[in-house]
Amino acid sequence: MIEELTRSIDDRTSASPGVAFALRQYLETLFTEPPGPAMDRLTSTGMGLLPDRLFETLASREFCSLSLGRVAGSRDRVIASVKRALHRVEPIHFYYDLGGGYATSFRSGAARPQMDVGLGELLLLRQVTRLSTRIRQCYPVGIRFSLVIDNLSAFLVEDVPLTDTAIYCRNLPRLVDDLGLSSLTDLIVTSEYFSVSDFAAVWPRGAGV
């Protein structure tokens, strides 16, 4: 899959083939680098500290670009979710909104939807892997990540056809599988659970669908 991600680089760097080779090497090492500083394994008594420590890890510069003030409002919900998982001895479940099922390309000079997965998705999955490794050091049950693709909103609001976003929704699981992350990461696609009529039933009056 990494070979496919860098295929377009070959076309634009034909005079410098070493650039594409170096990029592939870099991408391949992303998933083999050391995971960063280890978290101390907690004792049974110390497990009570885990929710706060996990939130601090999520809010750190390694995983979040927002200021502590911006994320403070999410603290109680995150800690409550972690405590539920600990009580049930199950993976801590995270949901990540990945957009409408496409990327935006400016390669031709004008913004247009792009259905191929690329470097952004690869780097996101690397962060998922790093977070999983950090948490398993003190909570062996680990985490579960669901990537949410709201392609139905992209269709209703931005007129991006569902047939187009379906391509992206096929390509992303391929990348997840190729990286060996299918046991850790799954995909939730809104058009597979809801219909346009479902949205219409709850749409604000006068907004139109």
Side-chain angles (χ1 to χ4, degrees):
M1 191 67 174
I2 287 177
E3 185 79 19
E4 293 182 24
L5 289 175
T6 56
R7 185 168 296 161
S8 62
I9 300 295
D10 287 325
D11 300 334
R12 289 176 285 157
T13 60
S14 56
S16 305
V19 173
F21 177 75
L23 178 59
R24 290 193 186 100
Q25 282 192 316
Y26 168 70
L27 295 178
E28 288 167 356
T29 60
L30 287 179
F31 288 84
T32 58
E33 287 182 348
M39 297 174 68
D40 296 332
R41 182 174 291 275
L42 300 179
T43 63
S44 57
T45 301
M47 286 296 285
L49 303 174
L50 181 58
D52 287 294
R53 294 186 64 182
L54 190 145
F55 181 83
E56 291 168 2
T57 299
L58 287 173
S60 69
R61 279 289 173 262
E62 184 179 359
F63 297 106
C64 183
S65 62
L66 300 177
S67 68
L68 292 177
R70 291 285 301 279
V71 301
S74 302
R75 185 184 189 97
D76 290 346
R77 284 174 293 171
V78 172
I79 288 179
S81 177
V82 172
K83 286 181 177 179
R84 284 195 300 271
L86 295 180
H87 178 73
R88 299 169 181 170
V89 194
E90 64 185 18
I92 302 166
H93 202 156
F94 293 95
Y95 298 86
Y96 188 88
D97 184 353
L98 200 53
Y102 64 92
T104 301
S105 172
F106 293 90
R107 187 176 301 168
S108 61
R112 60 184 180 84
Q114 176 70 37
M115 304 307 155
D116 293 329
V117 296
L119 182 60
E121 289 81 4
L122 186 68
L123 294 177
L124 168 65
L125 292 171
R126 185 212 185 196
Q127 287 293 80
V128 170
T129 304
R130 290 173 67 87
L131 180 61
S132 175
T133 300
R134 293 282 300 278
I135 293 177
R136 280 185 178 277
Q137 291 170 353
C138 57
Y139 182 56
V141 180
I143 65 174
R144 180 76 185 172
F145 242 87
S146 291
L147 303 177
V148 180
I149 306 296
D150 192 3
N151 63 334
L152 199 53
S153 287
F155 169 65
L156 294 171
V157 178
E158 303 177 60
D159 296 321
V160 180
L162 293 177
T163 51
D164 288 354
T165 52
I167 298 172
Y168 181 92
C169 294
R170 288 195 299 269
N171 289 335
L172 184 56
R174 282 185 55 211
L175 178 60
V176 171
D177 290 342
D178 287 350
L179 295 174
L181 301 178
S182 56
S183 63
L184 173 65
T185 309
D186 58 32
L187 199 65
I188 297 176
V189 182
T190 55
S191 65
E192 296 178 358
Y193 296 90
F194 305 99
S195 66
V196 173
S197 60
D198 292 328
F199 267 55
V202 297
W203 207 261
R205 185 179 298 275
V209 175

